[in-house]
């Protein structure tokens, strides 16, 4: 593991977003040293903001990544009323937010003192947690099925070459709870065209009210997608996966600094190898987890 570098963060960097109703606000975090820095666009879960997921974003930035965190329209910081006309299509606007961030990478880079010229625009990953993971998955090739089961618009972004999907919702249809089926028509994904390499992370105690299936629902993105995927199952983890949404977050139901530390190490290793094919960090980290006498999780790949 490399020695962590000091990190500089700038927020909010405001991107014009005509037709969105609110301009897009982004936090940019990057190490103060290093060149040819790869990029991770990180999508928050329901209600989050550009400040969310500091335990991961700070760790990735300190170890050589530029981390871009947009605030989506569902953020509590925006407090959209339930009857806002944009609400039914926020799921789609979220995806536009992610592509907009990539479109404006040069401007985001220029907004951070000392960062210009140090970013590798050819190495980009997306990551997300919960609803953010579903948003990120669409850039990797996942599709939303319509009521007749036909795949919707292909929103794959060829600029994205890897993904990390944390607690990503699974199949729709009969696997949804009645409440989810009635209120969230977009929760009907197909993963069979999700060809971009990705790491899927699921907690084996993540029993969501959105599905009738139980924790294995969160493994669908791995099991139903083509190859070049890995699945990390975290033992005892619920939806916050030990507390990744924020430092000392009061909404964490399964607080575990050890589990968060494992996620920091493994996600960093995955990003390093996925965006740098000559880097063996992922193979080394996977072997170390397998050698643990009492591991906190299990890895499998295809």
């Amino acid at each position: 593991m490399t020695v962590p570098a000091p990190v500089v963060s700038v927020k909010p960097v405001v991107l014009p977003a005509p037709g969105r109703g609110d301009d897009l606000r982004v936090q940019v975090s990057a190490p103060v040293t290093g060149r040819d820095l790869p990029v991770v666009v990180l999508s928050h879960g329901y209600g989050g903001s550009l400040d969310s997921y500091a335990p991961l974003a700070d760790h990735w930035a300190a170890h050589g990544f530029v981390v871009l965190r947009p605030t989506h329209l569902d953020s509590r910081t925006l407090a959209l009323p339930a009857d806002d006309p944009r609400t039914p299509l926020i799921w789609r606007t979220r995806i536009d937010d992610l592509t907009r961030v990539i479109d404006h990478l040069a401007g985001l880079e220029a907004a951070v003192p000392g960062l210009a010229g140090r970013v590798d625009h050819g190495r980009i990953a997306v990551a997300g947690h919960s609803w953010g993971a579903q948003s990120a998955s669409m850039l990797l090739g996942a599709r939303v099925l319509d009521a007749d089961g036909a795949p919707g618009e292909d929103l794959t972004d060829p600029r994205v070459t890897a993904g990390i999907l944390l607690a990503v919702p699974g199949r729709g249809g009969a696997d949804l709870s009645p409440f989810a089926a009635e209120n969230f028509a977009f929760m009907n994904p197909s993963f069979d065209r999700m060809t971009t390499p990705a790491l899927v992370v699921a907690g084996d105690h993540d029993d969501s009210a959105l599905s009738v299936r139980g924790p294995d629902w969160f493994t669908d993105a791995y099991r139903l997608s083509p190859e070049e995927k890995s699945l990390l199952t975290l033992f005892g983890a619920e939806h916050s996966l030990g507390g990744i949404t924020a430092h000392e977050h009061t909404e964490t139901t399964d607080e575990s600094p050890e589990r968060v530390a494992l996620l920091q190490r493994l996600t960093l290793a995955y990003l390093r190898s996925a965006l740098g094919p000559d880097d063996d960090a992922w193979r080394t980290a996977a072997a170390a987890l397998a050698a643990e006498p009492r591991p906190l999780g299990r890895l499998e790949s295809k």
Side-chain angles (χ1 to χ4, degrees):
M1 181 70 69
T2 57
V3 176
V7 171
V8 60
S9 291
V10 174
K11 66 174 185 179
V13 182
V14 180
L15 301 180
R20 187 176 183 269
D22 290 271
D23 287 336
L24 181 60
R25 287 164 170 76
V26 183
Q27 178 165 190
V28 184
S29 301
V32 299
T33 58
R35 301 192 64 81
D36 300 320
L37 304 173
V39 176
V40 184
V41 183
L42 176 54
S43 180
H44 65 73
Y46 175 76
S49 74
L50 54 75
D51 289 313
S52 300
Y53 305 97
L56 295 179
D58 292 349
H59 188 76
W60 297 341
H63 290 88
F65 289 82
V66 177
V67 184
L68 309 175
R69 285 177 282 172
T71 292
H72 299 300
L73 289 177
D74 57 278
S75 174
R76 296 185 187 94
T77 63
L78 297 179
L80 262 65
D83 60 354
D84 188 290
R86 294 170 290 176
T87 298
L89 287 177
I90 283 180
W91 74 270
R92 183 63 178 78
T93 304
R94 282 174 142 267
I95 302 161
D96 290 339
D97 291 345
L98 301 181
T99 57
R100 191 183 306 274
V101 166
I102 300 172
D103 291 343
H104 288 82
L105 180 53
L108 293 167
E109 175 183 356
V112 180
L115 184 59
R118 296 170 50 219
V119 180
D120 186 344
H121 293 223
R123 293 194 293 160
I124 300 174
V126 293
H129 174 246
S130 193
W131 197 4
Q134 185 187 36
S135 302
S137 75
M138 302 294 287
L139 275 65
L140 305 177
R143 308 275 283 272
V144 171
L145 302 177
D146 66 19
D148 296 323
E153 184 181 3
D154 182 3
L155 299 168
T156 306
D157 194 319
R159 297 170 295 182
V160 175
T161 55
I164 294 180
L165 305 178
L166 304 154
V168 58
R171 292 186 306 187
D175 291 344
L176 294 180
S177 67
F179 173 80
E182 181 177 352
N183 292 280
F184 306 125
F186 61 88
M187 293 187 69
N188 193 23
S190 168
F191 300 108
D192 59 5
R193 294 175 176 86
M194 196 176 78
T195 57
T196 305
L199 169 64
V200 178
V201 180
D204 68 359
H205 281 51
D206 189 356
D207 198 359
S208 175
L210 298 175
S211 174
V212 298
R213 283 209 3 232
D216 77 305
W217 186 56
F218 292 98
T219 70
D220 283 355
Y222 172 76
R223 305 204 182 281
L224 302 177
S225 64
E227 293 184 353
E228 292 194 75
K229 303 295 187 300
S230 293
L231 172 66
L232 171 62
T233 302
L234 292 174
F235 303 148
E238 298 176 10
H239 200 59
S240 63
L241 303 175
I244 61 170
T245 54
H247 295 295
E248 300 178 355
H249 202 297
T250 56
E251 294 182 5
T252 299
T253 57
D254 60 337
E255 185 176 6
S256 171
E258 297 81 10
R259 195 176 293 131
V260 173
L262 175 66
L263 265 179
Q264 289 172 328
R265 293 194 303 272
L266 287 175
T267 54
L268 175 63
Y270 182 82
L271 289 168
R272 285 178 54 185
S273 294
L275 297 180
D278 296 329
D279 193 320
D280 66 353
W282 177 239
R283 181 176 57 81
T284 301
L289 178 65
E292 286 284 338
R294 299 181 65 182
L296 296 176
R298 177 183 65 253
L299 266 174
E300 54 190 288
S301 297
K302 62 179 183 180

